[in-house]
Amino acid sequence: MPTVLRHRTYRRLLTAQVVALAGTGLATVALSLLAHDLAGADATAVLGTALALKMTAYVGIAPVISALAHRVPRRALLVSMDLIRAAAALTLPFVTQVGQIYALILLLQAASAAFTPTFQATLPDVLPDERDYTRALSLSRLAHDLENVLSPALAAALLTWFTYDWLFAGTALGFLASGALVLSVLLPGAEPAERTGGLYARASFGTRLFLATPRLRALLALDLVVAAGGAMVLVNTVVLVRDFLGRSAADVPLALGAYGAGSMIVALLVPRALDRIGERSLMLPAAFVQTAVLALLPLGLRRGGASWSWPALPAAWLILGAATSAVLTPAGRLLRRSGRPADLPALFAARFSLTHACWLITYPLAGWTAARAGLPASATVLTAVALGGTVAAVRLWPRTDTDEREDDDAEPAPVHQPPPDGDRRHTHPAPFGSPPPPGVTPRPPSGRNGA
């Protein structure tokens, strides 16, 4: 870890990520309490809808930004999006209606949909060495976990002295600090992508490339598992703690903090684990663990608010967070291995969009099911979703993982020179709209069955 932190540009980018995510963590707590004030017991439905709007912005905007991002310098794009997010956060304390929450969340998350994939695609260019990049992924995972550990702890402390409205001011400060840090460094320009066609073709390129790769299709199934567990935590915790267990508002961030603590612990261990067992052997068992924890929740919830329920809830969230980190931390390595440098912005944007499509399913499913059928029913439905994702990932990820891309329905690629020894990246598909070579019938490479 210390080696990668000696890199000045990466160090400042990591700090920018930390302060922005810490502010976002404050907003998560504040938004839960604001929804509870405005909607009472229907807060789960409000949060589920608000988070579904967030996912809608992520799914629809990220690929379009990827197709247009080459026209704007990376630094200018990142700083502009931070300014928009800060303005939206400063406005949230003044809302008086649920509809206003939805509008501001949509604006804030549209800016995040432009910021995050661009930021993620920058890191492989800043850190070309794979070992450094792996450790950077671990540190980035830790930065995300600050949203679930230090931010809730800070929120709990602030709520002792201030109302939750002030937490939104902390969110804005985080985004402004992030923008200032990004502005203080020079970022490498993106390698020009050799893609032709209209906006739709360029925007869909990353998704087609993503879905043509077996290991990335399995990654998408694992993202669905993570989304099921995360939706249970992020949507239903406030009602679990406040209404089901009858505890104070200060216990909400403590429960959320347990989820982040589990994720942080595992993120620190992931680089060493990957050196020994590889991504598949780490990520698939983690999905089974997450599914098992979700499966136990309905049993505990149906027993009512027993004396052991409060200690059991943070413990369950701790395990869910650990399993989540084991799935998410190595994902960047899979993406980097699956595309040429020019393809990485499109791949990261596609993964960002597809991942949040999973959350778009699970967020409203968690909130609306809990509001209408109860928390045990919500946990049961999310367990079924996680189990389906886990089984699909096992079937989709070949046991002997190759570094080739399986073009099931994409255009045939032109013949390229074989990559040099040790280059694990697959070949690049033909530009969209390019006709297949005369007389060539595409067929999958030999030696793979996709199972």
Side-chain angles (χ1 to χ4, degrees):
M1 296 294 183
T3 302
V4 72
L5 288 176
R6 295 192 189 106
H7 195 291
R8 176 180 177 274
T9 298
Y10 172 70
R11 188 170 63 248
R12 294 201 176 190
L13 290 177
L14 177 64
T15 306
Q17 186 181 26
V18 167
V19 295
L21 288 172
T24 303
L26 295 180
T28 300
V29 175
L31 184 62
S32 297
L33 296 173
L34 175 61
H36 192 268
D37 275 358
L38 292 179
D42 289 333
T44 55
V46 173
L47 284 174
T49 302
L51 294 173
L53 287 173
K54 169 183 175 179
M55 297 305 112
T56 300
Y58 285 178
V59 170
I61 293 175
V64 176
I65 293 297
S66 171
L68 299 175
H70 66 282
R71 301 180 181 179
V72 182
R74 279 176 170 174
R75 187 170 64 170
L77 177 62
L78 294 174
V79 173
S80 298
M81 295 305 103
D82 270 334
L83 292 176
I84 292 174
R85 296 194 294 181
L90 285 174
T91 309
L92 275 169
F94 302 101
V95 304
T96 56
Q97 299 177 7
V98 170
Q100 295 170 346
I101 292 179
Y102 296 157
L104 288 171
I105 289 298
L106 185 60
L107 175 63
L108 191 154
Q109 302 306 336
S112 293
F115 181 96
T116 304
T118 304
F119 182 92
Q120 292 173 337
T122 302
L123 294 184
D125 293 334
V126 172
L127 301 169
D129 181 77
E130 182 164 340
R131 288 180 63 86
D132 286 343
Y133 181 58
T134 301
R135 279 144 183 79
L137 290 175
S138 182
L139 290 173
S140 292
R141 182 69 241 160
L142 290 173
H144 279 282
D145 293 333
L146 290 175
E147 185 178 348
N148 297 316
V149 179
L150 296 185
S151 292
L154 178 60
L158 291 174
L159 288 172
T160 305
W161 302 97
F162 305 103
T163 62
Y164 64 79
D165 291 346
W166 287 96
L167 300 182
F168 291 117
T171 300
L173 287 175
F175 289 139
L176 291 174
S178 171
L181 286 163
V182 172
L183 196 60
S184 71
V185 297
L186 293 176
L187 300 181
E191 184 173 329
E194 300 173 0
R195 297 198 291 276
T196 59
L199 178 61
Y200 174 78
R202 295 195 304 273
S204 63
F205 171 81
T207 301
R208 294 168 64 89
L209 186 57
F210 191 101
L211 296 178
T213 308
R215 75 169 75 86
L216 296 186
R217 292 199 293 265
L219 176 60
L220 181 58
L222 292 174
D223 285 333
L224 184 61
V225 179
V226 169
M232 185 68 200
V233 173
L234 298 178
V235 175
N236 292 332
T237 294
V238 64
V239 175
L240 272 168
V241 173
R242 299 285 280 130
D243 296 338
F244 185 79
L245 296 177
R247 300 187 70 89
S248 69
D251 287 329
V252 173
L254 293 179
L256 293 173
Y259 180 73
S263 184
M264 289 184 74
I265 292 168
V266 170
L268 289 169
L269 302 175
V270 162
R272 184 173 298 177
L274 290 177
D275 289 340
R276 296 181 179 180
I277 64 174
E279 294 90 350
R280 191 181 190 276
S281 298
L282 175 66
M283 297 166 74
L284 293 181
F288 279 104
V289 169
Q290 190 150 18
T291 303
V293 173
L294 284 174
L296 292 174
L297 283 175
L299 301 177
L301 292 172
R302 288 191 176 96
R303 294 181 63 88
S307 59
W308 49 265
S309 296
W310 168 242
L313 181 66
W317 277 197
L318 181 81
I319 298 171
L320 282 177
T324 294
S325 185
V327 171
L328 294 182
T329 304
R333 282 168 52 114
L334 299 182
L335 293 173
R336 188 184 192 184
R337 189 181 304 154
S338 301
R340 299 193 314 173
D343 299 334
L344 292 183
L347 270 179
F348 275 98
R351 198 259 169 153
F352 186 81
S353 179
L354 292 170
T355 296
H356 289 93
C358 298
W359 291 90
L360 181 58
I361 295 170
T362 59
Y363 270 147
L365 192 62
W368 296 339
T369 305
R372 288 165 174 74
L375 291 167
S378 180
T380 300
V381 170
L382 292 172
T383 299
V385 171
L387 180 60
T390 301
V391 173
V394 172
R395 294 178 61 86
L396 289 169
W397 199 337
R399 289 182 180 274
T400 304
D401 189 16
T402 68
D403 296 310
E404 298 174 353
R405 181 176 52 83
E406 185 175 309
D407 285 319
D408 295 328
D409 54 11
E411 291 86 355
V415 177
H416 292 285
Q417 292 297 324
D421 292 341
D423 187 352
R424 307 187 67 190
R425 294 171 185 166
H426 56 66
T427 56
H428 186 57
F432 282 92
S434 299
V440 173
T441 301
R443 58 182 180 180
S446 61
R448 285 179 295 141
N449 56 19

PDB file of all heavy atoms in Angstrom, residues 61-71 77 113-114 117-118 195 199 202-203 205-206 343-350:
ATOM      1  N   ILE A  61     -27.397   7.591 -18.165  1.00  0.00           N
ATOM      2  CA  ILE A  61     -26.490   8.686 -18.480  1.00  0.00           C
ATOM      3  C   ILE A  61     -25.048   8.224 -18.671  1.00  0.00           C
ATOM      4  O   ILE A  61     -24.331   8.740 -19.543  1.00  0.00           O
ATOM      5  CB  ILE A  61     -26.571   9.769 -17.388  1.00  0.00           C
ATOM      6  CG1 ILE A  61     -27.952  10.430 -17.440  1.00  0.00           C
ATOM      7  CG2 ILE A  61     -25.478  10.814 -17.537  1.00  0.00           C
ATOM      8  CD1 ILE A  61     -28.186  11.432 -16.349  1.00  0.00           C
ATOM      9  N   ALA A  62     -24.586   7.259 -17.897  1.00  0.00           N
ATOM     10  CA  ALA A  62     -23.178   6.868 -17.944  1.00  0.00           C
ATOM     11  C   ALA A  62     -22.707   6.468 -19.349  1.00  0.00           C
ATOM     12  O   ALA A  62     -21.655   6.927 -19.801  1.00  0.00           O
ATOM     13  CB  ALA A  62     -22.910   5.744 -16.939  1.00  0.00           C
ATOM     14  N   PRO A  63     -23.441   5.621 -20.088  1.00  0.00           N
ATOM     15  CA  PRO A  63     -22.944   5.269 -21.430  1.00  0.00           C
ATOM     16  C   PRO A  63     -22.906   6.466 -22.385  1.00  0.00           C
ATOM     17  O   PRO A  63     -22.013   6.560 -23.231  1.00  0.00           O
ATOM     18  CB  PRO A  63     -23.947   4.207 -21.909  1.00  0.00           C
ATOM     19  CG  PRO A  63     -24.579   3.677 -20.672  1.00  0.00           C
ATOM     20  CD  PRO A  63     -24.631   4.839 -19.728  1.00  0.00           C
ATOM     21  N   VAL A  64     -23.876   7.364 -22.255  1.00  0.00           N
ATOM     22  CA  VAL A  64     -23.889   8.541 -23.135  1.00  0.00           C
ATOM     23  C   VAL A  64     -22.694   9.436 -22.843  1.00  0.00           C
ATOM     24  O   VAL A  64     -22.023   9.942 -23.748  1.00  0.00           O
ATOM     25  CB  VAL A  64     -25.211   9.308 -22.972  1.00  0.00           C
ATOM     26  CG1 VAL A  64     -25.199  10.583 -23.815  1.00  0.00           C
ATOM     27  CG2 VAL A  64     -26.391   8.424 -23.361  1.00  0.00           C
ATOM     28  N   ILE A  65     -22.413   9.645 -21.551  1.00  0.00           N
ATOM     29  CA  ILE A  65     -21.251  10.451 -21.180  1.00  0.00           C
ATOM     30  C   ILE A  65     -19.974   9.813 -21.697  1.00  0.00           C
ATOM     31  O   ILE A  65     -19.065  10.488 -22.180  1.00  0.00           O
ATOM     32  CB  ILE A  65     -21.191  10.622 -19.653  1.00  0.00           C
ATOM     33  CG1 ILE A  65     -22.376  11.465 -19.172  1.00  0.00           C
ATOM     34  CG2 ILE A  65     -19.878  11.265 -19.232  1.00  0.00           C
ATOM     35  CD1 ILE A  65     -22.383  12.882 -19.708  1.00  0.00           C
ATOM     36  N   SER A  66     -19.898   8.488 -21.634  1.00  0.00           N
ATOM     37  CA  SER A  66     -18.714   7.785 -22.144  1.00  0.00           C
ATOM     38  C   SER A  66     -18.513   8.055 -23.634  1.00  0.00           C
ATOM     39  O   SER A  66     -17.384   8.219 -24.103  1.00  0.00           O
ATOM     40  CB  SER A  66     -18.848   6.282 -21.896  1.00  0.00           C
ATOM     41  OG  SER A  66     -17.840   5.561 -22.549  1.00  0.00           O
ATOM     42  N   ALA A  67     -19.626   8.101 -24.373  1.00  0.00           N
ATOM     43  CA  ALA A  67     -19.525   8.332 -25.814  1.00  0.00           C
ATOM     44  C   ALA A  67     -19.113   9.762 -26.144  1.00  0.00           C
ATOM     45  O   ALA A  67     -18.531  10.015 -27.195  1.00  0.00           O
ATOM     46  CB  ALA A  67     -20.870   8.016 -26.477  1.00  0.00           C
ATOM     47  N   LEU A  68     -19.401  10.703 -25.229  1.00  0.00           N
ATOM     48  CA  LEU A  68     -19.111  12.118 -25.493  1.00  0.00           C
ATOM     49  C   LEU A  68     -17.905  12.642 -24.724  1.00  0.00           C
ATOM     50  O   LEU A  68     -17.437  13.749 -24.991  1.00  0.00           O
ATOM     51  CB  LEU A  68     -20.334  12.966 -25.120  1.00  0.00           C
ATOM     52  CG  LEU A  68     -21.635  12.663 -25.885  1.00  0.00           C
ATOM     53  CD1 LEU A  68     -22.774  13.483 -25.313  1.00  0.00           C
ATOM     54  CD2 LEU A  68     -21.468  12.930 -27.374  1.00  0.00           C
ATOM     55  N   ALA A  69     -17.406  11.854 -23.753  1.00  0.00           N
ATOM     56  CA  ALA A  69     -16.399  12.367 -22.822  1.00  0.00           C
ATOM     57  C   ALA A  69     -15.095  12.753 -23.507  1.00  0.00           C
ATOM     58  O   ALA A  69     -14.362  13.609 -23.000  1.00  0.00           O
ATOM     59  CB  ALA A  69     -16.121  11.333 -21.728  1.00  0.00           C
ATOM     60  N   HIS A  70     -14.793  12.137 -24.652  1.00  0.00           N
ATOM     61  CA  HIS A  70     -13.529  12.450 -25.326  1.00  0.00           C
ATOM     62  C   HIS A  70     -13.484  13.896 -25.814  1.00  0.00           C
ATOM     63  O   HIS A  70     -12.419  14.412 -26.142  1.00  0.00           O
ATOM     64  CB  HIS A  70     -13.320  11.495 -26.501  1.00  0.00           C
ATOM     65  CG  HIS A  70     -14.332  11.653 -27.609  1.00  0.00           C
ATOM     66  ND1 HIS A  70     -15.604  11.129 -27.515  1.00  0.00           N
ATOM     67  CD2 HIS A  70     -14.259  12.282 -28.810  1.00  0.00           C
ATOM     68  CE1 HIS A  70     -16.270  11.428 -28.613  1.00  0.00           C
ATOM     69  NE2 HIS A  70     -15.477  12.127 -29.414  1.00  0.00           N
ATOM     70  N   ARG A  71     -14.634  14.566 -25.851  1.00  0.00           N
ATOM     71  CA  ARG A  71     -14.681  15.952 -26.310  1.00  0.00           C
ATOM     72  C   ARG A  71     -14.370  16.944 -25.187  1.00  0.00           C
ATOM     73  O   ARG A  71     -14.201  18.131 -25.454  1.00  0.00           O
ATOM     74  CB  ARG A  71     -16.071  16.259 -26.876  1.00  0.00           C
ATOM     75  CG  ARG A  71     -16.468  15.367 -28.047  1.00  0.00           C
ATOM     76  CD  ARG A  71     -17.850  15.723 -28.559  1.00  0.00           C
ATOM     77  NE  ARG A  71     -18.248  14.850 -29.658  1.00  0.00           N
ATOM     78  CZ  ARG A  71     -19.432  14.932 -30.285  1.00  0.00           C
ATOM     79  NH1 ARG A  71     -20.314  15.848 -29.898  1.00  0.00           N
ATOM     80  NH2 ARG A  71     -19.709  14.101 -31.269  1.00  0.00           N
ATOM     81  N   LEU A  77     -14.248  17.940 -16.769  1.00  0.00           N
ATOM     82  CA  LEU A  77     -15.489  17.192 -16.565  1.00  0.00           C
ATOM     83  C   LEU A  77     -15.677  16.825 -15.102  1.00  0.00           C
ATOM     84  O   LEU A  77     -16.761  17.020 -14.529  1.00  0.00           O
ATOM     85  CB  LEU A  77     -15.470  15.930 -17.431  1.00  0.00           C
ATOM     86  CG  LEU A  77     -16.663  14.984 -17.279  1.00  0.00           C
ATOM     87  CD1 LEU A  77     -17.953  15.670 -17.693  1.00  0.00           C
ATOM     88  CD2 LEU A  77     -16.453  13.721 -18.105  1.00  0.00           C
ATOM     89  N   ALA A 113     -23.224  10.125 -12.252  1.00  0.00           N
ATOM     90  CA  ALA A 113     -23.140   9.178 -13.365  1.00  0.00           C
ATOM     91  C   ALA A 113     -22.100   9.617 -14.394  1.00  0.00           C
ATOM     92  O   ALA A 113     -21.535   8.780 -15.105  1.00  0.00           O
ATOM     93  CB  ALA A 113     -24.501   9.037 -14.044  1.00  0.00           C
ATOM     94  N   ALA A 114     -21.860  10.918 -14.481  1.00  0.00           N
ATOM     95  CA  ALA A 114     -20.796  11.409 -15.351  1.00  0.00           C
ATOM     96  C   ALA A 114     -19.438  11.333 -14.666  1.00  0.00           C
ATOM     97  O   ALA A 114     -18.419  11.037 -15.303  1.00  0.00           O
ATOM     98  CB  ALA A 114     -21.088  12.845 -15.777  1.00  0.00           C
ATOM     99  N   PRO A 117     -17.618   6.929 -13.599  1.00  0.00           N
ATOM    100  CA  PRO A 117     -16.910   6.110 -14.599  1.00  0.00           C
ATOM    101  C   PRO A 117     -15.671   6.811 -15.155  1.00  0.00           C
ATOM    102  O   PRO A 117     -14.664   6.153 -15.450  1.00  0.00           O
ATOM    103  CB  PRO A 117     -17.962   5.892 -15.697  1.00  0.00           C
ATOM    104  CG  PRO A 117     -19.264   6.155 -15.050  1.00  0.00           C
ATOM    105  CD  PRO A 117     -19.008   7.204 -14.017  1.00  0.00           C
ATOM    106  N   THR A 118     -15.750   8.137 -15.312  1.00  0.00           N
ATOM    107  CA  THR A 118     -14.581   8.878 -15.798  1.00  0.00           C
ATOM    108  C   THR A 118     -13.433   8.767 -14.806  1.00  0.00           C
ATOM    109  O   THR A 118     -12.270   8.552 -15.179  1.00  0.00           O
ATOM    110  CB  THR A 118     -14.947  10.353 -16.027  1.00  0.00           C
ATOM    111  OG1 THR A 118     -16.055  10.428 -16.926  1.00  0.00           O
ATOM    112  CG2 THR A 118     -13.775  11.121 -16.617  1.00  0.00           C
ATOM    113  N   ARG A 195     -13.704   4.185 -32.863  1.00  0.00           N
ATOM    114  CA  ARG A 195     -15.080   3.750 -33.045  1.00  0.00           C
ATOM    115  C   ARG A 195     -15.783   4.722 -33.973  1.00  0.00           C
ATOM    116  O   ARG A 195     -15.581   5.936 -33.890  1.00  0.00           O
ATOM    117  CB  ARG A 195     -15.815   3.653 -31.708  1.00  0.00           C
ATOM    118  CG  ARG A 195     -15.225   2.620 -30.781  1.00  0.00           C
ATOM    119  CD  ARG A 195     -16.202   2.246 -29.706  1.00  0.00           C
ATOM    120  NE  ARG A 195     -16.440   3.316 -28.761  1.00  0.00           N
ATOM    121  CZ  ARG A 195     -15.677   3.578 -27.714  1.00  0.00           C
ATOM    122  NH1 ARG A 195     -14.598   2.870 -27.500  1.00  0.00           N
ATOM    123  NH2 ARG A 195     -15.979   4.546 -26.885  1.00  0.00           N
ATOM    124  N   LEU A 199     -24.265   8.313 -32.177  1.00  0.00           N
ATOM    125  CA  LEU A 199     -24.177   8.365 -30.720  1.00  0.00           C
ATOM    126  C   LEU A 199     -24.616   7.055 -30.091  1.00  0.00           C
ATOM    127  O   LEU A 199     -23.990   6.560 -29.160  1.00  0.00           O
ATOM    128  CB  LEU A 199     -25.035   9.522 -30.203  1.00  0.00           C
ATOM    129  CG  LEU A 199     -25.096   9.680 -28.674  1.00  0.00           C
ATOM    130  CD1 LEU A 199     -23.707   9.949 -28.107  1.00  0.00           C
ATOM    131  CD2 LEU A 199     -26.061  10.788 -28.290  1.00  0.00           C
ATOM    132  N   ARG A 202     -21.848   4.424 -30.425  1.00  0.00           N
ATOM    133  CA  ARG A 202     -20.719   4.684 -29.532  1.00  0.00           C
ATOM    134  C   ARG A 202     -21.110   4.442 -28.068  1.00  0.00           C
ATOM    135  O   ARG A 202     -20.318   3.926 -27.288  1.00  0.00           O
ATOM    136  CB  ARG A 202     -20.223   6.128 -29.712  1.00  0.00           C
ATOM    137  CG  ARG A 202     -19.643   6.401 -31.091  1.00  0.00           C
ATOM    138  CD  ARG A 202     -18.834   7.688 -31.124  1.00  0.00           C
ATOM    139  NE  ARG A 202     -19.592   8.843 -30.691  1.00  0.00           N
ATOM    140  CZ  ARG A 202     -20.354   9.586 -31.490  1.00  0.00           C
ATOM    141  NH1 ARG A 202     -20.467   9.276 -32.771  1.00  0.00           N
ATOM    142  NH2 ARG A 202     -20.999  10.642 -31.018  1.00  0.00           N
ATOM    143  N   ALA A 203     -22.352   4.827 -27.707  1.00  0.00           N
ATOM    144  CA  ALA A 203     -22.785   4.649 -26.318  1.00  0.00           C
ATOM    145  C   ALA A 203     -22.982   3.183 -25.965  1.00  0.00           C
ATOM    146  O   ALA A 203     -22.760   2.776 -24.821  1.00  0.00           O
ATOM    147  CB  ALA A 203     -24.086   5.421 -26.077  1.00  0.00           C
ATOM    148  N   PHE A 205     -21.336   0.635 -27.335  1.00  0.00           N
ATOM    149  CA  PHE A 205     -20.144  -0.167 -27.599  1.00  0.00           C
ATOM    150  C   PHE A 205     -19.658  -0.887 -26.338  1.00  0.00           C
ATOM    151  O   PHE A 205     -19.387  -2.090 -26.347  1.00  0.00           O
ATOM    152  CB  PHE A 205     -19.030   0.723 -28.157  1.00  0.00           C
ATOM    153  CG  PHE A 205     -17.694   0.031 -28.248  1.00  0.00           C
ATOM    154  CD1 PHE A 205     -17.418  -0.806 -29.300  1.00  0.00           C
ATOM    155  CD2 PHE A 205     -16.735   0.216 -27.265  1.00  0.00           C
ATOM    156  CE1 PHE A 205     -16.191  -1.456 -29.383  1.00  0.00           C
ATOM    157  CE2 PHE A 205     -15.507  -0.425 -27.337  1.00  0.00           C
ATOM    158  CZ  PHE A 205     -15.244  -1.266 -28.399  1.00  0.00           C
ATOM    159  N   GLY A 206     -19.527  -0.156 -25.229  1.00  0.00           N
ATOM    160  CA  GLY A 206     -19.019  -0.755 -24.005  1.00  0.00           C
ATOM    161  C   GLY A 206     -19.911  -1.872 -23.499  1.00  0.00           C
ATOM    162  O   GLY A 206     -19.426  -2.901 -23.014  1.00  0.00           O
ATOM    163  N   ASP A 343     -10.409   1.006 -24.850  1.00  0.00           N
ATOM    164  CA  ASP A 343     -11.755   0.518 -24.552  1.00  0.00           C
ATOM    165  C   ASP A 343     -12.157   0.735 -23.096  1.00  0.00           C
ATOM    166  O   ASP A 343     -13.342   0.602 -22.761  1.00  0.00           O
ATOM    167  CB  ASP A 343     -11.851  -0.989 -24.834  1.00  0.00           C
ATOM    168  CG  ASP A 343     -11.570  -1.329 -26.280  1.00  0.00           C
ATOM    169  OD1 ASP A 343     -11.784  -0.455 -27.130  1.00  0.00           O
ATOM    170  OD2 ASP A 343     -11.126  -2.467 -26.540  1.00  0.00           O
ATOM    171  N   LEU A 344     -11.200   1.017 -22.218  1.00  0.00           N
ATOM    172  CA  LEU A 344     -11.498   1.019 -20.793  1.00  0.00           C
ATOM    173  C   LEU A 344     -12.555   2.034 -20.387  1.00  0.00           C
ATOM    174  O   LEU A 344     -13.431   1.720 -19.561  1.00  0.00           O
ATOM    175  CB  LEU A 344     -10.213   1.219 -19.984  1.00  0.00           C
ATOM    176  CG  LEU A 344      -9.230   0.049 -20.038  1.00  0.00           C
ATOM    177  CD1 LEU A 344      -8.027   0.316 -19.145  1.00  0.00           C
ATOM    178  CD2 LEU A 344      -9.902  -1.258 -19.642  1.00  0.00           C
ATOM    179  N   PRO A 345     -12.540   3.291 -20.891  1.00  0.00           N
ATOM    180  CA  PRO A 345     -13.631   4.194 -20.506  1.00  0.00           C
ATOM    181  C   PRO A 345     -15.007   3.628 -20.844  1.00  0.00           C
ATOM    182  O   PRO A 345     -15.940   3.733 -20.037  1.00  0.00           O
ATOM    183  CB  PRO A 345     -13.322   5.473 -21.302  1.00  0.00           C
ATOM    184  CG  PRO A 345     -11.842   5.442 -21.500  1.00  0.00           C
ATOM    185  CD  PRO A 345     -11.520   3.993 -21.703  1.00  0.00           C
ATOM    186  N   ALA A 346     -15.144   3.028 -22.019  1.00  0.00           N
ATOM    187  CA  ALA A 346     -16.429   2.447 -22.400  1.00  0.00           C
ATOM    188  C   ALA A 346     -16.778   1.254 -21.519  1.00  0.00           C
ATOM    189  O   ALA A 346     -17.942   1.067 -21.131  1.00  0.00           O
ATOM    190  CB  ALA A 346     -16.403   2.022 -23.871  1.00  0.00           C
ATOM    191  N   LEU A 347     -15.777   0.419 -21.182  1.00  0.00           N
ATOM    192  CA  LEU A 347     -16.041  -0.736 -20.323  1.00  0.00           C
ATOM    193  C   LEU A 347     -16.449  -0.312 -18.915  1.00  0.00           C
ATOM    194  O   LEU A 347     -17.375  -0.868 -18.322  1.00  0.00           O
ATOM    195  CB  LEU A 347     -14.806  -1.638 -20.262  1.00  0.00           C
ATOM    196  CG  LEU A 347     -14.685  -2.748 -21.299  1.00  0.00           C
ATOM    197  CD1 LEU A 347     -13.399  -3.522 -21.106  1.00  0.00           C
ATOM    198  CD2 LEU A 347     -15.882  -3.688 -21.215  1.00  0.00           C
ATOM    199  N   PHE A 348     -15.733   0.664 -18.352  1.00  0.00           N
ATOM    200  CA  PHE A 348     -16.082   1.122 -17.014  1.00  0.00           C
ATOM    201  C   PHE A 348     -17.464   1.771 -16.997  1.00  0.00           C
ATOM    202  O   PHE A 348     -18.231   1.588 -16.049  1.00  0.00           O
ATOM    203  CB  PHE A 348     -15.024   2.094 -16.488  1.00  0.00           C
ATOM    204  CG  PHE A 348     -13.850   1.418 -15.845  1.00  0.00           C
ATOM    205  CD1 PHE A 348     -12.679   1.200 -16.548  1.00  0.00           C
ATOM    206  CD2 PHE A 348     -13.919   0.984 -14.538  1.00  0.00           C
ATOM    207  CE1 PHE A 348     -11.595   0.567 -15.958  1.00  0.00           C
ATOM    208  CE2 PHE A 348     -12.843   0.345 -13.926  1.00  0.00           C
ATOM    209  CZ  PHE A 348     -11.672   0.136 -14.639  1.00  0.00           C
ATOM    210  N   ALA A 349     -17.784   2.536 -18.039  1.00  0.00           N
ATOM    211  CA  ALA A 349     -19.107   3.150 -18.105  1.00  0.00           C
ATOM    212  C   ALA A 349     -20.192   2.086 -18.246  1.00  0.00           C
ATOM    213  O   ALA A 349     -21.262   2.173 -17.634  1.00  0.00           O
ATOM    214  CB  ALA A 349     -19.178   4.134 -19.266  1.00  0.00           C
ATOM    215  N   ALA A 350     -19.927   1.053 -19.055  1.00  0.00           N
ATOM    216  CA  ALA A 350     -20.900  -0.025 -19.230  1.00  0.00           C
ATOM    217  C   ALA A 350     -21.118  -0.770 -17.921  1.00  0.00           C
ATOM    218  O   ALA A 350     -22.255  -1.074 -17.546  1.00  0.00           O
ATOM    219  CB  ALA A 350     -20.422  -0.988 -20.312  1.00  0.00           C
TER     220      ALA A 350
END
